[in-house]
Amino acid sequence: MLPNLLEAMELTKPYTGLTVHRGLCRVIPDWIHCTVLHAIGADADFDPNVRSNIQRLVDDVTTRVADVDPFTLTFGRPSITPVAIEAVGSPGRPHEMLVEHMMGAHRAIWGDAHTLAPSRYPHASLAYAGKGAEDLDQSALEAELSGIGDPDPMTMTVDRLHLVAQYHDGARITWQSLAEVPLKGVDLDDEAFIDSLLGAE
């Protein structure tokens, strides 16, 4: 699930100074995301069995989420964990439903061929622990966080799922978009038509 750029900037801007310490890998707004499911070992670039079945996965997920209403997720103040600075989103149940649907669709096609790592709760990471993280003073980070004040929470609308090929270089997570799957009542064809009109000269 991906926020739009304005939503991502709203979430990250108050905490920029917190996320640029040596030992942390800051996530810039363009790459902020809220994971539903990682399919570890499902390589869309080099595995023909994965690449040839992406459309089957899209079709199956589309059917499974057709009755899931769009919803909002609200992300509040982030917390500092040993592996990341992350903001937890709520409510959790709609996200949990999407996890269940994605896992069911993946297993229907590939069975146990890949390791599935579902996200246990909705969250967006603002920074990841990187090289030198062992030298970070967590108490100092907590003190810095407490001094930021009380920024407004960020609320994002979730009306689709994004299927992506993800890349992780040990410091940053990026991805290539493969498909978008709409939730109930969302017409992606209409959006594409409107975008084409707005982009026309």
Side-chain angles (χ1 to χ4, degrees):
M1 298 184 293
L2 302 178
N4 62 43
L5 186 57
L6 289 178
E7 291 167 341
M9 291 174 66
E10 181 182 353
L11 175 64
T12 58
K13 186 176 180 180
Y15 308 104
T16 299
L18 181 69
T19 61
V20 296
H21 289 280
R22 185 182 301 275
L24 292 174
C25 300
R26 175 184 173 234
V27 182
I28 64 173
D30 307 66
W31 299 112
I32 290 289
H33 58 280
C34 178
T35 297
V36 173
L37 175 69
H38 288 292
I40 301 170
D43 193 328
D45 290 328
F46 298 106
D47 188 335
N49 184 41
V50 172
R51 190 165 54 250
S52 64
N53 281 295
I54 287 176
Q55 190 57 51
R56 282 184 62 199
L57 178 65
V58 171
D59 293 342
D60 192 348
V61 173
T62 299
T63 299
R64 291 172 187 259
V65 304
D67 291 329
V68 177
D69 289 313
F71 59 96
T72 59
L73 277 177
T74 299
F75 295 84
R77 191 177 190 81
S79 58
I80 298 170
T81 77
V83 296
I85 297 176
E86 65 178 33
V88 175
S90 63
R93 180 53 187 158
H95 175 271
E96 183 180 351
M97 291 172 57
L98 295 179
V99 169
E100 293 167 357
H101 287 315
M102 283 298 305
M103 291 184 68
H106 192 96
R107 285 175 172 155
I109 297 172
W110 290 291
D112 296 325
H114 310 123
T115 300
L116 299 186
S119 180
R120 294 179 294 113
Y121 53 90
H123 65 278
S125 294
L126 279 60
Y128 297 103
K131 184 177 181 180
E134 65 276 6
D135 297 324
L136 286 167
D137 184 337
Q138 182 155 343
S139 295
L141 291 176
E142 296 282 5
E144 184 175 342
L145 175 61
S146 70
I148 289 175
D150 192 20
D152 291 334
M154 183 277 279
T155 297
M156 64 175 278
T157 298
V158 179
D159 63 2
R160 71 199 64 197
L161 286 171
H162 296 261
L163 177 64
V164 304
Q166 178 183 287
Y167 311 100
H168 198 334
D169 64 4
R172 291 173 177 81
I173 291 176
T174 59
W175 58 82
Q176 176 187 356
S177 179
L178 299 176
E180 295 182 14
V181 177
L183 301 188
K184 182 178 179 180
V186 177
D187 192 329
L188 299 182
D189 290 335
D190 281 353
E191 289 187 8
F193 177 67
I194 292 171
D195 287 344
S196 70
L197 292 178
L198 291 176
E201 295 183 359

